[in-house]
Amino acid sequence: MRLRTIGLAAVLSTSLFHDSGAVVRPKGAEAPLVSAGIGPRSHRATQITRSTQLASVGLAGWTAIWDRDTDVPLRLWGQGQVVSGSVADAAIAEAAARQFLAAHLATLAPGAAVSDFELVSNVVSPQGDLRTVGFIQRANGVRVLGGGIGVAFKNDRIAMVSSTALPNVAVTIPAQRLTATAIQRAATRWLSDAGHAVAARATANALPAERVIVPIVRPRIGAVDIQYKVAEQVAVDATSGIGQWNVWVDAGDATPIARRSTLSWASGKILYNVPDRSPSAGQRRAQPSFATHIVNGTPTTAAADGTVTWTGTTAATVQLKFNSPIVAITNKAGSVLTQTISLAVGGSFTLNKSTDEVADAQVDAFVYANQVKQFVKARINPTLAYLDQSLSVNVNENQTCNAFSTGDDIHFFRAGQCENTGRMADVVYHEFGHSLHANSIIEGVGQFDGSLSEGLADILSVAITGDPGLGRGFFFNNDPLRDLDPVGSEKHWPEDADGEVHDEGEIIGGTLWDLRKALETKLGQTAGYERWLKIYYTIMQRAADIPSSYAEALLGDDDDGDITNGTPNQCDINAVFGAHGLADPSVTLGIASPVRDGFNISIQAAPPAASACPGASVQSAVVDWNPRGGGAGGQVTLTQTGDTFAGDIPTQPDGTVVQYKVTLTLTDGTQLSFPNNNADPLYEFYVGEVKKLWCATFEDGAADWTLSPEFEAGAPMGLSSDPKTAFDGTNVLGLDLSEDGSYNSSTMAFAETPEIDLQGETKVRLQYQRWLGVEDGFYDQAKISANGQIVWTNFASQNDPQAGGVNHVDKEWRFQDVDLSAQAATGKVKLRFELKSDEGLEFGGWTMDEVCVVAVTGAALTCGNGTIDQGETCDDGNRTDGDGCSANCVDETGGGGDDGGCCSTGTSPAAPLALSLATLGLVLRRRRRA
């Protein structure tokens, strides 16, 4: 049975699973969710359905965000019916919610019965203006994991309906229950086989001993593709090291189905001298906390300013403690710090352990944990009972460079290559953010999604610090670990949804930071901040994942229970969420990837439709280009005609590989660049005539290739970072196309061509279409070899980049040209596409189409023969730049040609067309994205 890791937005995303992301995912850490068999979709795919399309199901005037893979509306809103008293009266709201559910069950949960939905929530928002009624889904009396329906009431009307219900659930419930021993044995054996020493949990935190239905949702290609399995569930803990899992095994035969980690990686007056942010980022100052000290033998809790009181008129003996009514410190490196002092009447004492890492981590984490809980209670949700419970804060764990939350208590690691995370305010706030998220979700409505939680945890931290640069001091300097307000590289959904929860969390984190700026600019700093916190917490309570956050932002901002008439700040929400790919497509810019036709580059940039919320539009577009390998390039300003910007790169001599990028400038000053891949930021195409010597299209498979087990030929399914369609035809060759899409950790995978006869040609090239997703080359290496010699590899950082790696993730089909002439001497060539991965992060790996080995013909063939042939302005007998005659036989001294260019892309005016019909470099047989 092959183990596969699953993207965090996969099936099993349910509020039962209160796992939390880390500050950083440590190298070698297991993926948060692991499947024992075929994996589900990587992310929820959504689309907007308009009111006219919903009229046929009795919802005229409503709008839906539709889950394409389940064919169920993720969120619905419209001018809902008035339900007098529904916000104030729970019974009225429940009755109305049940009535709506019964009337629209076929839309909200196809194939289900009203009796399948069990009421689990009926709660009012902290501001008292929004009531949410939540139901969980059952089938044959068994809970369907992740299935739920919620109805929101605002201003005494139905304002929004949510559904993560699963359609047409059909299962056979085994007549006999497995014994607890059999369940536990299967779960612990599975984890033991993966190298974990574990035992079943025997505490109050164990999972309920009820069977559940596990839905495995596959990407929809035609019909809905969902498999349902009845499972037993068990909670398992590591008996050595750190680890907690929820495990699901088949209820019939105890075969493992899936497991999810429930840890998150990633962390007078008595005052405490602590850093504002971290020891190396920010000043230290004396700060109070609500500690409960022993004053003259009596437990006494300090006031907000650190003041303690006692009877008498003489100095008190105070035993300093690191617990409060809401925070308790555990020191994993030994006993908890204690110190006895004499406190004079009217005096003060400041505890300073700045030179002692272990002691200072206890002091700092205690102060920060109290601060974040007080902030949430005062500014976000004063009625949340969880805030009144004691939070277990564990410091000085015997590992480094991370922190984690179990969904309740939080843990911080010792210093090593990075700071002790208990000494970092941002990390403490972040980890508590995961616990807050887990304990704030409205059951039956919101769900715990790892990527969403990462962004929300980051935002809680920056809500307190006011700095979008999160984790300053993590690497002992002032550089942020993550920047939610990057210059020129804002993250966008779904292009930057790469399956890694911290990366994806930056999408919603950056979105919410930008919303804060917009609201404070519009409403003023105080009012804008308060409105932003309200919207933020609505998302935390109600969103199921990142795609559903936009609708919840509108609901949080709404003031009359009717989202169809707009919300007070809808234009700002539309603009910000649209800029990150999360808003209604009608308010985005309609920008497609660039298209190349010969030397002509064009890009569609349809302006937003006229609306009450006009947004930014494309103001200008330019193409920056250069010959690959050196030589003068330039910039071309594209001319706008309607919604299209287009222009021509100057024609270049045969044999040139032209590289280019397209940059759009919006009316608000924002710039967007194509291609969107920091590891390979330039498109390329080959100029010159070629003939095909050998090609593989994979339409009939790859029988003549030698493949390691992970490679397969078939139709791509859009899993992980893979494409959803082939470049041409139906099939491609790729790594794990059909399970979860990601390559395995610590693996060596390869695809090798047969030996290719070059037919006497010596100037040969590899030209193919690529869609590659791979971690920074410091960790994972994607390589192309020809006859055993490496001819290309992905970008690699020079030093260990930790969280700042430059991952190579193509987001579109990319043409690549590789010169194989140096390997052609034997008259044959064998190509090998390889991927070597470490034990950490994985992406989609290699996906290839239209792989060809071609021979250079025409003018490019004669360059370097010492004779100035047609199309050349010089020929010095070599193909070397910088010696007066370029590698493309263009005069570099200015004595010939026009700015290093030539008259055409071939040897005659008709050459561009002839070329494009003969090579993959210039594709005119149909208009394709670059």
Side-chain angles (χ1 to χ4, degrees):
M1 184 175 294
R2 183 181 174 199
L3 284 182
R4 301 300 300 160
T5 57
I6 304 174
L8 288 182
V11 64
L12 305 179
S13 59
T14 166
S15 56
L16 283 179
F17 309 129
H18 290 165
D19 66 315
S20 311
V23 181
V24 289
R25 176 173 165 188
K27 299 301 294 181
E30 182 175 270
L33 186 63
V34 175
S35 168
I38 188 168
R41 62 183 176 185
S42 301
H43 297 94
R44 193 189 308 272
T46 60
Q47 63 188 35
I48 297 292
T49 301
R50 289 292 172 210
S51 58
T52 53
Q53 298 168 281
L54 291 168
S56 62
V57 293
L59 292 166
W62 287 64
T63 298
I65 297 178
W66 213 268
D67 186 329
R68 294 187 307 201
D69 297 325
T70 64
D71 206 20
V72 169
L74 180 65
R75 292 297 185 273
L76 274 167
W77 64 90
Q79 193 173 26
Q81 68 192 71
V82 174
V83 184
S84 298
S86 55
V87 174
D89 192 309
I92 292 175
E94 179 186 346
R98 290 185 182 277
Q99 183 180 21
F100 189 95
L101 174 60
H104 300 287
L105 186 63
T107 300
L108 297 171
V114 174
S115 59
D116 290 339
F117 290 88
E118 173 189 344
L119 179 72
V120 289
S121 303
N122 197 330
V123 297
V124 178
S125 66
Q127 294 78 17
D129 62 339
L130 173 65
R131 178 176 292 277
T132 300
V133 179
F135 302 88
I136 59 170
Q137 183 181 9
R138 295 184 179 274
N140 295 347
V142 179
R143 180 165 185 178
V144 181
L145 287 185
I149 291 177
V151 182
F153 298 85
K154 203 162 194 180
N155 196 35
D156 283 350
R157 68 165 66 233
I158 295 177
M160 182 172 290
V161 179
S162 65
S163 177
T164 54
L166 281 302
N168 304 309
V169 181
V171 294
T172 300
I173 310 297
Q176 300 295 323
R177 294 288 299 271
L178 296 173
T179 65
T181 300
I183 298 167
Q184 294 171 5
R185 184 185 298 118
T188 54
R189 182 188 300 119
W190 188 29
L191 280 156
S192 296
D193 290 344
H196 302 286
V198 297
R201 189 178 307 159
T203 68
N205 293 324
L207 287 173
E210 65 169 334
R211 291 184 287 196
V212 295
I213 296 171
V214 176
I216 301 176
V217 182
R218 300 287 291 163
R220 182 177 179 179
I221 303 176
V224 170
D225 182 5
I226 306 175
Q227 182 182 12
Y228 298 102
K229 294 185 177 182
V230 181
E232 299 281 3
Q233 52 187 355
V234 61
V236 174
D237 294 328
T239 55
S240 64
I242 296 173
Q244 294 180 352
W245 294 267
N246 290 342
V247 184
W248 292 267
V249 300
D250 191 286
D253 59 10
T255 301
I257 297 173
R259 67 176 181 259
R260 178 183 285 275
S261 170
T262 56
L263 294 182
S264 56
W265 296 94
S267 327
K269 292 183 178 180
I270 300 174
L271 305 174
Y272 306 84
N273 181 277
V274 300
D276 283 335
R277 301 283 292 279
S278 72
S280 54
Q283 300 297 314
R284 301 184 71 98
R285 60 188 176 89
Q287 302 185 52
S289 194
F290 290 99
T292 300
H293 306 292
I294 306 300
V295 181
N296 290 338
T298 301
T300 304
T301 300
D305 63 353
T307 299
V308 293
T309 60
W310 62 92
T311 59
T313 58
T314 59
T317 299
V318 181
Q319 186 178 5
L320 302 181
K321 293 289 185 179
F322 290 91
N323 60 70
S324 74
I326 57 174
V327 174
I329 290 290
T330 297
N331 176 26
K332 294 294 187 177
S335 58
V336 176
L337 174 67
T338 185
Q339 185 170 335
T340 300
I341 64 167
S342 178
L343 185 61
V345 176
S348 65
F349 174 81
T350 299
L351 182 65
N352 188 343
K353 296 293 183 180
S354 59
T355 60
D356 182 342
E357 176 205 336
V358 171
D360 196 42
Q362 299 173 64
V363 177
D364 298 345
F366 179 69
V367 171
Y368 299 147
N370 275 281
Q371 287 175 346
V372 67
K373 291 195 76 172
Q374 292 161 16
F375 173 84
V376 173
K377 192 172 185 66
R379 306 299 294 271
I380 294 179
N381 189 355
T383 65
L384 184 63
Y386 169 71
L387 297 174
D388 297 324
Q389 302 171 11
S390 180
L391 173 68
S392 176
V393 179
N394 301 266
V395 298
N396 299 313
E397 300 264 10
N398 192 28
Q399 296 188 46
T400 63
C401 291
N402 235 314
F404 66 88
S405 162
T406 65
D408 187 1
D409 51 304
I410 51 181
H411 297 247
F412 304 94
F413 292 177
R414 292 287 302 271
Q417 293 180 332
C418 43
E419 183 58 83
N420 185 311
T421 49
R423 304 175 81 186
M424 299 190 63
D426 295 19
V427 177
V428 176
Y429 301 158
H430 172 97
E431 295 306 334
F432 180 75
H434 287 303
S435 297
L436 176 66
H437 185 198
N439 287 277
S440 295
I441 293 168
I442 299 174
E443 191 174 6
V445 180
Q447 295 182 3
F448 195 102
D449 173 79
S451 299
L452 174 66
S453 193
E454 284 301 325
L456 295 178
D458 280 354
I459 284 295
L460 180 62
S461 179
V462 302
I464 299 173
T465 66
D467 178 9
L470 182 84
R472 298 188 189 277
F474 191 83
F475 293 114
F476 304 105
N477 57 38
N478 199 45
D479 295 336
L481 180 64
R482 282 193 291 281
D483 188 355
L484 300 185
D485 196 22
V487 177
S489 58
E490 294 278 7
K491 291 199 169 184
H492 193 272
W493 185 276
E495 292 87 348
D496 292 310
D498 57 20
E500 204 287 314
V501 293
H502 306 95
D503 290 348
E504 293 183 350
E506 289 181 58
I507 302 174
I508 185 62
T511 301
L512 290 174
W513 175 259
D514 289 347
L515 182 61
R516 173 179 175 173
K517 292 191 297 182
L519 292 177
E520 289 184 356
T521 298
K522 176 183 177 181
L523 304 176
Q525 185 171 4
T526 300
Y529 182 67
E530 292 299 326
R531 173 59 58 139
W532 175 71
L533 286 177
K534 180 181 180 183
I535 293 171
Y536 163 70
Y537 196 61
T538 301
I539 294 171
M540 178 174 278
Q541 287 188 298
R542 297 177 44 84
D545 51 16
I546 291 175
S548 61
S549 61
Y550 166 66
E552 299 302 345
L554 293 178
L555 182 64
D557 186 53
D558 181 58
D559 60 352
D560 64 358
D562 183 2
I563 297 175
T564 64
N565 64 11
T567 72
N569 302 288
Q570 183 167 353
C571 292
D572 303 276
I573 294 171
N574 283 350
V576 168
F577 278 73
H580 291 269
L582 295 172
D584 182 333
S586 68
V587 300
T588 61
L589 297 176
I591 299 173
S593 294
V595 172
R596 183 181 56 79
D597 192 344
F599 288 103
N600 180 265
I601 310 297
S602 63
I603 186 167
Q604 286 285 120
S611 71
C613 300
S617 60
V618 178
Q619 185 176 60
S620 62
V622 298
V623 171
D624 291 282
W625 68 275
N626 59 267
R628 190 176 74 187
Q635 185 176 87
V636 177
T637 299
L638 303 186
T639 301
Q640 182 177 9
T641 304
D643 297 338
T644 302
F645 290 79
D648 294 324
I649 294 173
T651 55
Q652 299 299 304
D654 287 8
T656 306
V657 177
V658 178
Q659 295 183 315
Y660 68 98
K661 68 176 181 178
V662 180
T663 303
L664 304 181
T665 301
L666 308 185
T667 51
D668 63 1
T670 301
Q671 287 194 327
L672 304 175
S673 292
F674 298 87
N676 182 13
N677 182 347
N678 290 334
D680 187 9
L682 297 172
Y683 297 117
E684 66 181 25
F685 65 93
Y686 178 79
V687 181
E689 294 183 59
V690 299
K691 66 178 181 180
K692 298 178 181 179
L693 302 177
W694 175 91
C695 285
T697 66
F698 311 113
E699 295 306 298
D700 296 321
D704 56 343
W705 289 60
T706 302
L707 306 176
S708 64
E710 296 87 349
F711 268 95
E712 57 185 311
M717 301 177 66
L719 301 172
S720 186
S721 59
D722 290 349
K724 294 182 179 180
T725 60
F727 173 78
D728 196 9
T730 301
N731 287 352
V732 299
L733 180 66
L735 273 164
D736 183 24
L737 300 175
S738 59
E739 292 192 4
D740 66 9
S742 297
Y743 53 83
N744 287 327
S745 61
S746 301
T747 192
M748 169 70 81
F750 68 90
E752 191 171 68
T753 70
E755 195 169 62
I756 300 165
D757 184 355
L758 300 181
Q759 303 171 31
E761 301 288 350
T762 59
K763 293 188 176 181
V764 295
R765 313 183 76 86
L766 165 66
Q767 295 184 339
Y768 76 111
Q769 296 291 337
R770 178 199 77 205
W771 194 307
L772 172 65
V774 64
E775 194 179 9
D776 189 304
F778 187 90
Y779 303 124
D780 294 354
Q781 296 82 44
K783 299 177 182 178
I784 303 175
S785 298
N787 294 342
Q789 297 178 334
I790 296 174
V791 293
W792 183 85
T793 189
N794 61 305
F795 174 85
S797 296
Q798 291 186 350
N799 300 305
D800 189 343
Q802 290 289 330
V806 182
N807 302 326
H808 181 123
V809 183
D810 290 330
K811 300 175 179 68
E812 58 188 312
W813 282 108
R814 298 282 299 273
F815 170 80
Q816 185 171 4
D817 170 276
V818 181
D819 190 352
L820 303 179
S821 300
Q823 289 76 40
T826 63
K828 296 180 180 180
V829 68
K830 180 180 287 188
L831 302 174
R832 182 182 174 101
F833 295 82
E834 185 176 293
L835 194 147
K836 181 181 180 182
S837 66
D838 69 357
E839 71 280 4
L841 180 63
E842 299 89 38
F843 293 97
W846 282 108
T847 307
M848 298 167 284
D849 202 358
E850 302 287 336
V851 179
C852 286
V853 173
V854 301
V856 175
T857 63
L861 187 63
T862 63
C863 180
N865 64 3
T867 301
I868 299 177
D869 298 295
Q870 184 177 3
E872 301 174 354
T873 58
C874 64
D875 195 325
D876 58 358
N878 64 54
R879 298 292 298 271
T880 304
D881 285 316
D883 61 357
C885 185
S886 76
N888 301 315
C889 291
V890 176
D891 191 337
E892 297 174 314
T893 66
D898 180 11
D899 193 25
C902 189
C903 304
S904 71
T905 58
T907 56
S908 70
L913 178 59
L915 165 66
S916 65
L917 294 175
T919 177
L920 295 178
L922 289 172
V923 179
L924 288 181
R925 55 192 169 84
R926 58 181 176 148
R927 196 167 173 88
R928 295 302 302 254
R929 292 183 179 181

